[in-house]
Amino acid sequence: MSEPHDLTPVTSAPPAAEADATARPEAATPARKRPRPGERRVQILETLAGMLEQPGAERITTAALAARLEVSEAALYRHFASKAQMFEGLIEFIESSVFALVNQIAERDESGSLQAQRIVLMLLQFGERNPGMTRVMVGDALVFEHERLNARMNQFFDRVESQLRQCLRPAAEAAGSAMPTVDANAMASAMVALVVGRLQRYARSGFRRLPTEAIEAPLQRLAA
């Protein structure tokens, strides 16, 4: 049985340590018999994230989630109006954690190409160290859920691609590209495809094929 996950959004990281900031936190302290207001909500999301790491976790029922928490299904619905809202809570954690780190990377005085590589590597490390979240990111955990959840994850990757384009356009201009916008768009699209493909392979291999495995060469080739 997986330990609960700390769903406190990541908001800061040392300059060269995105990987550390996205690492899976230590196990939370044991739950109190009477959680403080808001504490039970976080506990529900932590447990859902942990259950998504288990084999055959493509579809998790509220009954199974309630049983893991040793509460009634009615108790779950006192904190979330629906299971879809629970998944939205996980997506909010992914968004807030990832884009806080993206903003830090983008603010550094580095070449756009290097920034883009760091963003891609950070995303892969985040997924690698949060397997349950990876199933949400690639949509495997959302197959039987409300379509708006997949739409929101698609928007997440659209935002990532937009940020990569902003990083890569100055790099294309500096390299003397005749069409820097076109080249930046193509490179950003390829980088997002690399991220999604690596995360999908990780999830569908039962978390055996690490997304960061031998990533340096293809990443440098894309950003060249």
Side-chain angles (χ1 to χ4, degrees):
M1 175 178 172
S2 297
E3 296 291 341
H5 297 283
D6 182 353
L7 294 187
T8 303
V10 176
T11 56
S12 62
E18 289 85 16
D20 293 337
T22 57
R24 292 172 56 186
E26 296 297 325
T29 56
R32 299 174 180 84
K33 290 183 178 180
R34 293 183 179 179
R36 293 193 297 266
E39 197 171 58
R40 176 67 79 185
R41 182 182 173 91
V42 173
Q43 185 183 32
I44 291 169
L45 294 178
E46 290 173 344
T47 303
L48 175 58
M51 291 176 71
L52 287 170
E53 297 184 12
Q54 305 305 312
E58 286 74 14
R59 188 174 191 181
I60 294 174
T61 64
T62 54
L65 179 58
R68 181 66 63 89
L69 286 160
E70 299 182 341
V71 300
S72 67
E73 287 186 73
L76 298 181
Y77 290 118
R78 284 198 290 270
H79 301 278
F80 295 94
S82 64
K83 187 169 61 162
Q85 196 176 86
M86 297 177 200
F87 277 104
E88 284 180 326
L90 295 184
I91 293 172
E92 287 169 5
F93 170 75
I94 293 167
E95 291 171 339
S96 59
S97 297
V98 166
F99 287 111
L101 294 174
V102 166
N103 290 338
Q104 288 183 47
I105 293 168
E107 289 170 358
R108 294 180 196 165
D109 186 19
E110 297 176 328
S111 72
S113 176
L114 183 55
Q115 288 179 352
Q117 291 180 62
R118 288 187 184 277
I119 289 171
V120 169
L121 184 58
M122 178 271 293
L123 281 163
L124 295 176
Q125 290 169 333
F126 179 87
E128 184 173 307
R129 297 176 182 189
N130 296 277
M133 301 298 184
T134 296
R135 279 206 164 117
V136 176
M137 293 170 76
V138 301
D140 288 2
L142 307 177
V143 172
F144 301 104
E145 307 304 330
H146 197 285
E147 61 183 16
R148 76 173 182 270
L149 299 174
N150 268 313
R152 187 163 174 178
M153 282 315 313
N154 289 339
Q155 290 172 356
F156 168 85
F157 284 110
D158 287 344
R159 286 180 63 189
V160 170
E161 186 170 336
S162 177
Q163 183 64 54
L164 290 172
R165 286 197 298 268
Q166 291 180 40
C167 295
L168 292 167
R169 192 180 189 284
E173 290 176 339
S177 170
M179 297 184 293
T181 298
V182 173
D183 289 345
N185 290 351
M187 286 189 289
S189 177
M191 284 183 165
V192 170
L194 173 65
V195 170
V196 174
R198 286 293 185 110
L199 293 178
Q200 284 178 334
R201 185 183 68 175
Y202 180 49
R204 294 168 191 178
S205 69
F207 307 119
R208 291 186 296 273
R209 297 292 303 277
L210 300 181
T212 57
E213 176 182 271
I215 191 61
E216 293 80 8
L219 187 53
Q220 290 174 5
R221 181 68 62 86
L222 281 175

